[in-house]
Amino acid sequence: MIVMKFGGTSVGTPAAIRKTAEVVAAARDRKPVVVVSALSGVTNQLLAAAQDARARTAPARELVRPLRDRHRRVLGELGLPRRLVDPDLAWLEEALHGIYLLRELTPRSLDYVASFGEVMSSKVVAAHLSKRKVPAKAWNAWDAGVVTDDGYTEAAVLPETYPAIKKALAPVLGEEVPVVTGFLGRTRTGERTTLGRGGSDYTAAIFGRALGAEEIQIWTDVSGIMSCDPRIVRNAYTLRHVTFAEAAELAYFGAKVLHPKTVEPAVEVGIPVRILNTFSPQDEGTLVLREVPDAGTRAAVQGLAVKRGNMLVNLTSTRMLDAEGYLSQVFEVLARHGVSVDCLATSEVSVSMTVDARYAEALKGATRELRRIARTTVSRGRAVICVVGEGISTVPGVAGRIFGVMGNEGINIELISQGASELNVTFVVRDAEADRALHALHATFMGQASA
Ligand code: ADP
Ligand code: ASP
Ligand code: MG
């Protein structure tokens, strides 16, 4: 069997849904389980609607209207019953009304509201497949076995999920195509949860592992993992083979094409993950593997990724010279305030680190305490650039070449860190200089002038 996951753009319009159905129909003899995201933009709309309900910007009825219109229009254009997802929209409206009345929005209610995107898209896609004579049935992830903890908005899947999925879906494989909601789960006590933004990729990997898939296919709007985000570097090209470790680094540092957690369940059991283009299904795409076949001959640097909008925190203190436990003190403060650190570099007297902008509030509390032990500065608007490739550990001079390129461009590097895996060189520049840095690096390492 295989798992085929279709992202938001692959189910965002009637034309895209038709393409998706063609791809699924062509793979029927491989016994697919289909995982779908919400229609493109719908998760953002749902999250915004929840915030608007809390702020009483508009009544629930009005907040639901654009979502109702969009889903009805898509259903109508596909020749399906326009009211197919009306019952879900009614539940959504009630939830938003509750938030409106109470003026309270908890992470739990946020997840409940967000869940409707995938609940509806799975019904639309299953109905369209069935109409095209590919018998299919929509499944909510929790009915198909997904159980999570109560880490709302970023829930973790519990181990009982795996046998439960097998029990639920193994009997129907090859009979009718299950179309499962990505991104969602439910706690043991029955509350809906989400797995974090972009989490449908993760869902695909979980189902692939539970069902012992031959392959997990991630169908999206680009032909694979590319040497850089094609929206930034126009002549970025598709990478044929990428190792799990490289994919994880690229994803973690901003290559949105693959959710970081995706690789975990797949890597544990060695299931290959293939990234493919719904709108150009004949393209070979990218195969993500434990080891690549051309390891000996490929270039040291495979990909570039960027994560913008970070804060750069610098701590300077001479205490670090002789005081044991200084660093552990720093991290104790950060942990207590719930601040998570992405990149870190230390020298004799200073510590530099990057923190995602979403921790801005928490960081304020932490810096108040840190100022007692070190001179602390926080700069905003920083980009983390990550240069990734298995060969970086074996080919000498990659870091030197990177810094040479940045020097020629007159771009100041504010922090450098080389991961313990020696698979990446990561450094920090100002957000405004990130695109220029990527163009120059792409031209240097990928051997092509970039646009
Ligand atoms: P989906 O909705 O199918 O999950 P996403 O929007 O999450 O799709 O991810 C696909 C997008 O990721 C692409 O349209 C592309 O702009 C972006 N992207 C960023 N970095 C890369 C990269 N290195 N390779 C391919 N795509 C990338
Ligand atoms: N719909 C969810 C999101 O936008 C999950 C996904 O698309 O993977 O984050
Ligand atoms: Mg995605």
Side-chain angles (χ1 to χ4, degrees):
M1 64 86 48
I2 58 170
V3 174
M4 309 175 88
K5 176 260 172 175
F6 293 88
T9 41
S10 301
V11 296
T13 62
I17 293 171
R18 287 196 186 98
K19 289 264 178 208
T20 288
E22 274 170 35
V23 170
V24 175
R28 250 184 95 181
D29 54 352
R30 296 185 79 186
K31 300 187 179 170
V33 165
V34 170
V35 172
V36 288
S37 291
L39 274 57
S40 52
V42 163
T43 306
N44 285 344
Q45 260 177 297
L46 287 165
L47 296 175
Q51 298 291 354
D52 285 343
R54 187 186 51 84
R56 295 199 176 170
T57 313
R61 199 172 349 99
E62 275 176 41
L63 294 171
V64 170
R65 190 172 300 135
L67 290 156
R68 178 176 290 124
D69 291 350
R70 167 120 178 249
H71 285 86
R72 280 188 180 171
R73 194 170 58 242
V74 168
L75 285 162
E77 281 181 38
L78 290 171
L80 298 169
R82 281 170 54 83
R83 294 179 170 275
L84 185 72
V85 297
D86 275 13
D88 299 298
L89 290 158
W91 285 109
L92 170 65
E93 188 174 324
E94 283 206 29
L96 291 172
H97 188 54
I99 294 165
Y100 181 96
L101 288 178
L102 298 172
R103 290 195 210 191
E104 186 187 69
L105 179 58
T106 60
R108 189 174 95 179
S109 20
L110 200 58
D111 271 2
Y112 181 72
V113 168
S115 75
F116 285 96
E118 273 74 7
V119 167
M120 294 193 289
S121 68
S122 60
K123 290 183 180 171
V124 176
V125 172
H128 177 66
L129 280 169
S130 299
K131 186 163 183 240
R132 290 195 37 150
K133 310 264 179 309
V134 179
K137 187 182 151 206
W139 286 78
N140 288 323
W142 50 85
D143 294 324
V146 180
V147 186
T148 74
D149 64 11
D150 60 359
Y152 296 105
T153 75
E154 201 95 32
V157 169
L158 298 178
E160 64 246 44
T161 296
Y162 294 96
I165 289 175
K166 194 150 190 200
K167 192 163 166 228
L169 293 191
V172 304
L173 285 186
E175 305 280 320
E176 57 182 17
V177 177
V179 181
V180 182
T181 57
F183 182 49
L184 308 180
R186 203 162 69 176
T187 64
R188 284 179 182 153
T189 52
E191 307 296 337
R192 293 186 191 181
T193 52
T194 68
L195 310 179
R197 296 305 306 270
S200 298
D201 295 344
Y202 186 25
T203 306
I206 291 160
F207 278 78
R209 181 176 162 175
L211 296 163
E214 291 156 39
E215 186 170 291
I216 296 162
Q217 300 181 343
I218 306 290
W219 291 84
T220 182
D221 59 352
V222 286
S223 296
I225 299 183
M226 306 182 80
S227 51
C228 189
D229 186 343
R231 287 185 236 182
I232 303 171
V233 175
R234 235 193 312 151
N235 59 354
Y237 50 82
T238 298
L239 304 171
R240 287 272 157 273
H241 299 111
V242 168
T243 66
F244 282 114
E246 286 171 338
E249 298 283 341
L250 284 169
Y252 185 74
F253 287 102
K256 172 169 171 247
V257 63
L258 195 68
H259 187 282
K261 280 194 213 157
T262 306
V263 289
E264 274 179 16
V267 78
E268 279 167 26
V269 287
I271 301 173
V273 177
R274 203 183 286 274
I275 322 285
L276 295 154
N277 189 341
T278 308
F279 305 95
S280 190
Q282 68 289 348
D283 289 357
E284 238 181 286
T286 300
L287 189 57
V288 186
L289 299 155
R290 225 194 302 234
E291 277 168 33
V292 291
D294 53 350
T297 54
R298 69 211 272 272
V301 171
Q302 290 290 313
L304 308 173
V306 62
K307 193 163 166 233
R308 290 174 217 265
N310 304 275
M311 299 176 292
L312 179 69
V313 184
N314 275 312
L315 307 177
T316 317
S317 169
T318 45
R319 276 202 220 185
M320 197 170 159
L321 282 173
D322 48 23
E324 284 152 33
Y326 170 77
L327 275 183
S328 70
Q329 219 180 330
V330 168
F331 284 104
E332 188 275 320
V333 171
L334 291 168
R336 194 155 29 76
H337 287 269
V339 176
S340 152
V341 170
D342 284 332
C343 291
L344 175 75
T346 60
S347 72
E348 281 84 356
V349 292
S350 68
V351 184
S352 301
M353 54 207 162
T354 64
V355 173
D356 191 285
R358 71 191 145 115
Y359 298 110
E361 271 311 307
L363 185 65
K364 274 188 200 154
T367 44
R368 235 172 277 133
E369 282 189 46
L370 290 172
R371 289 208 163 102
R372 291 186 210 138
I373 54 169
R375 201 163 68 79
T376 307
T377 60
V378 178
S379 323
R380 293 169 182 274
R382 295 304 193 266
V384 179
I385 293 185
C386 187
V387 180
V388 177
E390 295 274 0
I392 290 179
S393 59
T394 48
V395 177
V398 173
R401 282 174 74 195
I402 295 174
F403 306 134
V405 174
M406 293 302 107
N408 288 340
E409 292 289 319
I411 297 175
N412 185 32
I413 297 182
E414 297 181 285
L415 177 161
I416 302 159
S417 109
Q418 181 156 15
S421 58
E422 296 196 351
L423 196 83
N424 71 68
V425 177
T426 301
F427 59 94
V428 174
V429 300
R430 287 172 185 274
D431 269 346
E433 292 179 323
D435 283 8
R436 203 151 52 83
L438 289 168
H439 287 147
L441 289 170
H442 202 268
T444 302
F445 287 104
M446 280 71 175
Q448 293 176 33
S450 54

